[in-house]
Amino acid sequence: MASRCVLQIALLLSFTTSLSLSYNLLQLQQQQHSSTLACLELLKQMKGKPDYCLKDRMDFRFPEEIKQPQQFQKEKAALVIHEMLQNIFGIFRKNVPNTMWNETIVENLLVELHQQMGHLKSAILQEVLEGKTLTAEDTTAILRLKSYYWRIRRYLNAKRNSICAWTVVRVELLRNFSLIDRLTDCF
């Protein structure tokens, strides 16, 4: 009789823990979706001159393995999203005075990106505490992602942060946020 009670208590505790983790992931996913939408809206407010800048278009070669969100487990998706947000944050933070856009919009975007990264850090930390590690493929994907953002920064520097360069980068980053939204579904 006592062993049956212990078993029931154990099952109840594991069920409660499972529900708690599922709720936390759902809450994180909802926060990510709303934050991603907010970033998309802020980027859309930053209008450029797309027709005028067609000659400046560039293929920054986004890593193919990251374009397939269904391949990622939730912890890998969180890590990839965090890396993307961190690099986008770095692009804007370093070049805010050089952009043609309203500084208030850019500052709001930076605040939103910072909040998103904070939410993701807790999810990533939880995965690390559970002992999940990166594979060689994961590390390679992250390195390719860093190279992609390095190409964007190099492009902006080469074009001396021109209006057209920022217009091209803005369109590229809009694509990034669409992908971030798809990756968020992996949670």
Side-chain angles (χ1 to χ4, degrees):
M1 181 74 175
S3 64
R4 186 184 300 176
C5 286
V6 170
L7 179 61
Q8 288 176 344
I9 291 171
L11 286 173
L12 183 61
L13 284 174
S14 68
F15 180 70
T16 305
T17 303
S18 175
L19 277 177
S20 174
L21 290 174
S22 295
Y23 175 75
N24 289 341
L25 286 175
L26 180 61
Q27 188 178 20
L28 177 63
Q29 185 181 30
Q30 288 173 340
Q31 287 171 341
Q32 279 302 120
H33 274 300
S34 64
S35 291
T36 300
L37 291 175
C39 288
L40 275 169
E41 285 306 311
L42 287 166
L43 276 174
K44 286 178 184 176
Q45 291 176 26
M46 299 176 188
K47 304 221 186 292
K49 301 179 182 199
D51 297 335
Y52 175 74
C53 300
L54 288 175
K55 67 182 181 334
D56 289 314
R57 284 186 298 179
M58 169 90 174
D59 178 11
F60 296 105
R61 297 186 316 272
F62 192 86
E64 289 297 320
E65 62 270 26
I66 296 173
K67 286 183 182 178
Q68 313 298 324
Q70 63 275 13
Q71 293 178 4
F72 289 105
Q73 298 169 343
K74 67 178 185 226
E75 65 273 5
K76 307 307 188 238
L79 186 63
V80 167
I81 292 170
H82 187 270
E83 187 65 36
M84 290 174 74
L85 294 173
Q86 191 173 15
N87 278 282
I88 293 169
F89 183 86
I91 288 169
F92 277 102
R93 187 186 71 215
K94 183 177 179 185
N95 297 296
V96 167
N98 299 323
T99 63
M100 64 194 170
W101 299 302
N102 180 323
E103 284 189 38
T104 304
I105 294 172
V106 176
E107 289 298 326
N108 289 340
L109 177 63
L110 289 171
V111 167
E112 197 66 45
L113 289 169
H114 186 69
Q115 288 174 349
Q116 278 188 342
M117 288 186 295
H119 295 308
L120 283 169
K121 276 185 183 178
S122 62
I124 294 168
L125 182 60
Q126 180 65 34
E127 297 299 326
V128 169
L129 291 174
E130 291 176 7
K132 296 182 180 168
T133 59
L134 292 177
T135 65
E137 289 176 359
D138 298 331
T139 305
T140 301
I142 295 296
L143 288 174
R144 286 188 181 132
L145 194 57
K146 287 178 186 262
S147 293
Y148 163 78
Y149 287 106
W150 178 79
R151 286 189 292 276
I152 291 174
R153 283 188 202 93
R154 188 176 68 185
Y155 171 80
L156 283 169
N157 288 335
K159 296 286 187 174
R160 294 190 174 104
N161 289 301
S162 71
I163 291 171
C164 282
W166 272 105
T167 300
V168 169
V169 168
R170 177 188 156 271
V171 170
E172 186 72 16
L173 296 179
L174 282 168
R175 287 188 206 117
N176 278 219
F177 280 104
S178 295
L179 182 60
I180 287 170
D181 197 41
R182 286 197 332 247
L183 283 169
T184 300
D185 291 338
C186 293
F187 293 160

